[in-house]
Amino acid sequence: MSDQHLGFGEPGNIGSVRAPAAVRLSAACWVASAVVAGMMPVILEVAGIDFGQSIPDWAVPYLVAFAVPLTALQVLVAQHLLHGARWARILLTVAAALSALGAPVDLTALILAGLLLTLAGATLMWLPAANRFFLLRRVPACPVPVSGADTPLHNTALKGELL
């Protein structure tokens, strides 16, 4: 089985189908959002630069401990979005909803920019061109080998026995 059947290969391509501009732009918005809303506040807070949000000194280690892995996870999921992973689109949609609901009332320019990038990324990945792209991409959760149907594993699973 080739790497492209498993979702690997050049980002934004599925075999010969390239991700539409809406999906590529959505992934770019998600990565930019991760940098602007995820990493910039951490960097500014650790550097002691006031960016308009007051965070108690005791909370800074927790901010770093949560923001860095979540930012990395957002970038990783955005990469899967380029490969046509429908689960990535759903996960990012949930992240956008939580970001919008959890946004502070007094938005700073940095938080507002991150929120706008998040909402733009969420909107772009649900446009009609993106929907067609994700419909083309149907990868089974556990790919079954095409050849070798007579393997012991395949026969055991067909007989209904536990693996």
Side-chain angles (χ1 to χ4, degrees):
M1 185 175 292
S2 75
D3 286 343
Q4 289 186 350
H5 291 301
L6 296 174
F8 299 101
E10 185 179 338
N13 286 339
I14 298 176
S16 62
V17 178
R18 181 176 169 91
V23 175
R24 293 191 315 269
L25 187 55
S26 174
C29 285
W30 281 108
V31 171
S33 167
V35 171
V36 170
M39 290 311 300
M40 287 305 296
V42 172
I43 293 168
L44 294 174
E45 191 63 42
V46 169
I49 300 170
D50 182 25
F51 64 97
Q53 292 287 351
S54 60
I55 298 173
D57 289 339
W58 63 266
V60 173
Y62 297 105
L63 175 69
V64 173
F66 285 105
V68 172
L70 287 176
T71 300
L73 182 63
Q74 184 171 326
V75 171
L76 178 66
V77 174
Q79 281 294 314
H80 284 279
L81 185 75
L82 283 175
H83 291 289
R86 290 176 297 177
W87 63 265
R89 185 165 71 153
I90 293 167
L91 185 64
L92 290 171
T93 301
V94 170
L98 292 175
S99 295
L101 293 173
V105 177
D106 56 337
L107 293 174
T108 64
L110 189 63
I111 301 297
L112 181 62
L115 186 59
L116 290 175
L117 285 166
T118 297
L119 295 176
T123 303
L124 287 166
M125 66 186 182
W126 288 100
L127 292 177
N131 287 338
R132 284 189 299 276
F133 172 71
F134 286 103
L135 284 175
L136 288 174
R137 184 68 171 154
R138 295 193 182 255
V139 177
C142 182
V144 179
V146 176
S147 62
D150 294 330
T151 61
L153 178 65
H154 188 277
N155 289 338
T156 302
L158 288 177
K159 290 178 186 174
E161 298 174 12
L162 295 176
L163 299 177

